[in-house]
Amino acid sequence: MPRALRVGYVPEHFSTPLHFAQTYFSLSADLIPFPSGTGHMVTALRAGELDIAIGLTEGWVAAIAKDPPTDQTTDKSLNSNNFMLVGTYVETPLCWAISTGHDREHIRDIQDLKGKKLGVSRIGSGSYVMSYVLADREGWKQPFECMPLQTFEALREGVNDQTVDFFMWEYFTSKRYYSSTTLHPIKKVGEIYTPWPSWMIVARNPLIDTPVLDSFLEKVEAGIRYFEEHQEEAIQYIGTKLDYEEEDGREWSKTVRFSKNVRGVRRDVVQLTVDMLQKAGVIDGEPWQQGAELDKIKRYVGIMKNEFGDH
């Protein structure tokens, strides 16, 4: 009997359709939570501990760019622990809240962060990658000194005991901790949005173009449809099973747009992400020209969306 797929995910509100896919549409998979985020899932994929993962676009692109598959990756049986983008999970951008300790009076806005120490979950994580995008946006030439603290709770603790000065995390996950009555309370000093669709699906190379992967993507899509058609059930799940206030789950659900066509990734999304990460100094290389060669795109994408297909 073949083993179940091992699927990595971040146990936050965005994972709700994945829960519905398993609960209502017979998704046969071991869903493995990675609370420290995309960077940890990159490590697990490289170690052969995961088959598929759902994480942040910038984290996947940065990882593939820095440790790309070999020239032989047209044969998907090679380099079995390498992975590629195969699906689009969330179409809307992600709002990264920039936070410091609740009582850090000398840090009041983004300009106070220049030269400060940044807490991240892991090197290579979304919170790490977006710090370069933030520095580029603000015109700061030097990247931040980074300290990996693994978890959201450790990051909140770190900005309060002054181990680090600030960190970046998804807004609605951060929001409830802006109250002084919570454990390790924080305060918001700014925000930054990704300019690309925020969540993508990756798979190890041997799974690409297989019925197993096709079935997984179809069932995730069914979970998304269920989420959209049963909003109250989704909000109740988020409020009772995940670390959110129900009202925040309701507010978040109005801002998120999951992909109606999960299979594949658009060429322009990859090009935009690579261009911006190169400009910010996250990855090396010259900016691509408009209409970049397909071979460059194929370095990142295992399943390409039709150029004029559903977004």
Side-chain angles (χ1 to χ4, degrees):
M1 181 177 179
R3 61 168 174 77
L5 283 173
R6 301 163 299 172
V7 178
Y9 73 102
V10 182
E12 295 177 356
H13 43 347
F14 287 98
S15 69
T16 305
L18 190 62
H19 163 73
F20 288 155
Q22 188 169 64
T23 302
Y24 297 115
F25 299 101
S26 303
L27 173 61
S28 179
D30 291 333
L31 301 183
I32 304 171
F34 284 77
S36 57
T38 306
H40 193 182
M41 288 189 285
V42 168
T43 302
L45 283 158
R46 295 294 190 213
E49 297 167 356
L50 289 176
D51 302 305
I52 296 171
I54 302 176
L56 297 173
T57 304
E58 59 270 23
W60 297 140
V61 170
I64 295 170
K66 290 182 176 180
D67 189 14
T70 71
D71 293 338
Q72 300 173 333
T73 52
T74 50
D75 180 352
K76 299 296 194 303
S77 67
L78 298 178
N79 308 302
S80 62
N81 292 340
N82 285 327
F83 60 87
M84 301 179 84
L85 297 161
V86 296
T88 305
Y89 186 59
V90 176
E91 290 284 359
T92 40
L94 189 75
C95 179
W96 287 91
I98 304 168
S99 304
T100 188
H102 188 268
D103 297 323
R104 301 285 293 272
E105 295 295 336
H106 63 292
I107 300 177
R108 297 176 180 171
D109 58 33
I110 288 177
Q111 294 307 309
D112 295 327
L113 303 178
K114 186 176 182 180
K116 295 292 193 292
K117 183 182 291 187
L118 168 70
V120 299
S121 53
R122 284 181 174 236
I123 301 299
S125 67
S127 58
Y128 172 83
V129 171
M130 285 302 295
S131 72
Y132 283 80
V133 179
L134 173 65
D136 180 70
R137 186 189 77 176
E138 298 299 318
W140 299 335
K141 294 183 179 180
Q142 296 296 323
F144 301 102
E145 178 186 354
C146 294
M147 176 174 289
L149 294 177
Q150 308 298 328
T151 66
F152 180 48
E153 181 178 353
L155 288 164
R156 299 196 322 272
E157 184 176 4
V159 291
N160 279 289
D161 66 15
Q162 302 191 31
T163 300
V164 295
D165 296 306
F166 74 104
F167 70 92
M168 303 165 67
W169 210 263
E170 192 272 336
Y171 169 69
F172 284 100
T173 309
S174 306
K175 184 173 180 287
R176 71 177 299 178
Y177 294 96
Y178 293 142
S179 167
S180 61
T181 61
T182 57
L183 179 65
H184 310 312
I186 53 180
K187 70 176 179 181
K188 182 182 175 187
V189 295
E191 63 186 31
I192 186 170
Y193 283 83
T194 63
W196 44 72
S198 52
W199 294 80
M200 295 285 175
I201 302 170
V202 298
R204 292 193 302 115
N205 289 3
L207 279 175
I208 296 172
D209 294 328
T210 65
V212 171
L213 178 59
D214 289 344
S215 175
F216 172 81
L217 296 174
E218 288 169 4
K219 289 179 178 180
V220 169
E221 207 167 282
I224 288 172
R225 287 195 299 271
Y226 190 92
F227 170 90
E228 292 174 343
E229 295 165 2
H230 299 82
Q231 285 282 287
E232 287 304 314
E233 182 179 350
I235 290 165
Q236 184 177 21
Y237 172 78
I238 291 167
T240 57
K241 301 298 184 182
L242 302 173
D243 188 23
Y244 299 87
E245 300 290 346
E246 191 169 297
E247 63 184 74
D248 290 339
R250 193 178 307 279
E251 185 180 349
W252 165 78
S253 70
K254 297 174 183 177
T255 70
V256 67
R257 186 175 76 252
F258 287 92
S259 180
K260 296 183 184 301
N261 180 7
V262 169
R263 180 182 171 83
V265 176
R266 295 194 338 253
R267 181 188 307 195
D268 62 307
V269 170
V270 178
Q271 184 163 350
L272 170 65
T273 308
V274 170
D275 283 349
M276 291 207 64
L277 294 186
Q278 286 178 334
K279 181 175 182 288
V282 177
I283 57 179
D284 296 328
E286 294 298 320
W288 293 356
Q289 300 301 313
Q290 190 67 30
E293 305 96 296
L294 192 58
D295 285 347
K296 289 186 177 180
I297 300 287
K298 284 183 175 179
R299 177 178 169 186
Y300 297 87
V301 182
I303 301 176
M304 194 86 68
K305 275 190 186 293
N306 184 300
E307 196 73 19
F308 304 102
D310 174 61
H311 290 187

Coordinates of all heavy atoms in Angstrom, one line a residue, residues 23 46 98 128 181 208 284 286 294:
T23 N -11.6 17.0 5.3 CA -12.8 16.6 6.0 C -13.9 16.2 5.1 O -14.6 15.2 5.4 CB -13.3 17.8 6.9 OG1 -12.2 18.2 7.7 CG2 -14.5 17.5 7.7
R46 N 13.8 19.7 1.2 CA 15.2 19.3 0.7 C 15.7 18.1 1.4 O 16.5 17.3 0.8 CB 16.1 20.5 1.1 CG 15.9 21.8 0.4 CD 16.2 21.7 -1.1 NE 16.2 23.0 -1.7 CZ 15.7 23.2 -3.0 NH1 15.3 22.2 -3.7 NH2 15.8 24.4 -3.5
I98 N 4.3 45.0 10.7 CA 5.7 45.2 11.2 C 5.5 45.6 12.7 O 4.8 46.6 13.0 CB 6.4 46.3 10.5 CG1 6.4 46.0 9.0 CG2 7.8 46.5 11.0 CD1 6.9 47.1 8.1
Y128 N 11.9 36.8 6.6 CA 13.3 37.1 6.3 C 13.4 37.8 4.9 O 14.0 38.9 4.7 CB 14.2 35.9 6.3 CG 15.6 36.1 5.8 CD1 16.6 36.6 6.6 CD2 15.9 35.7 4.5 CE1 17.9 36.7 6.2 CE2 17.2 35.9 4.0 CZ 18.2 36.4 4.9 OH 19.5 36.5 4.4
T181 N -3.3 43.0 27.2 CA -3.7 41.9 28.1 C -3.3 40.5 27.6 O -3.5 39.5 28.3 CB -5.3 41.9 28.2 OG1 -5.8 41.7 26.9 CG2 -5.8 43.2 28.7
I208 N 5.5 15.9 -10.2 CA 5.0 16.8 -11.2 C 4.5 16.0 -12.4 O 5.1 15.0 -12.9 CB 6.1 17.8 -11.6 CG1 6.4 18.7 -10.4 CG2 5.6 18.7 -12.8 CD1 7.6 19.6 -10.7
D284 N 20.5 36.7 -6.5 CA 21.5 37.3 -7.5 C 20.9 37.2 -8.9 O 20.0 36.5 -9.2 CB 22.8 36.6 -7.4 CG 23.5 36.7 -6.0 OD1 23.3 37.8 -5.4 OD2 24.1 35.7 -5.6
E286 N 20.8 39.3 -13.0 CA 20.4 40.5 -13.7 C 18.8 40.4 -13.9 O 18.3 39.4 -14.1 CB 21.0 40.6 -15.1 CG 22.5 40.8 -15.1 CD 22.9 42.1 -14.4 OE1 22.1 43.1 -14.6 OE2 23.9 42.1 -13.6
L294 N 11.5 31.3 -21.8 CA 10.8 30.2 -21.1 C 11.7 29.3 -20.3 O 11.3 28.9 -19.2 CB 10.0 29.4 -22.1 CG 9.0 28.4 -21.6 CD1 7.9 29.2 -20.8 CD2 8.3 27.6 -22.7

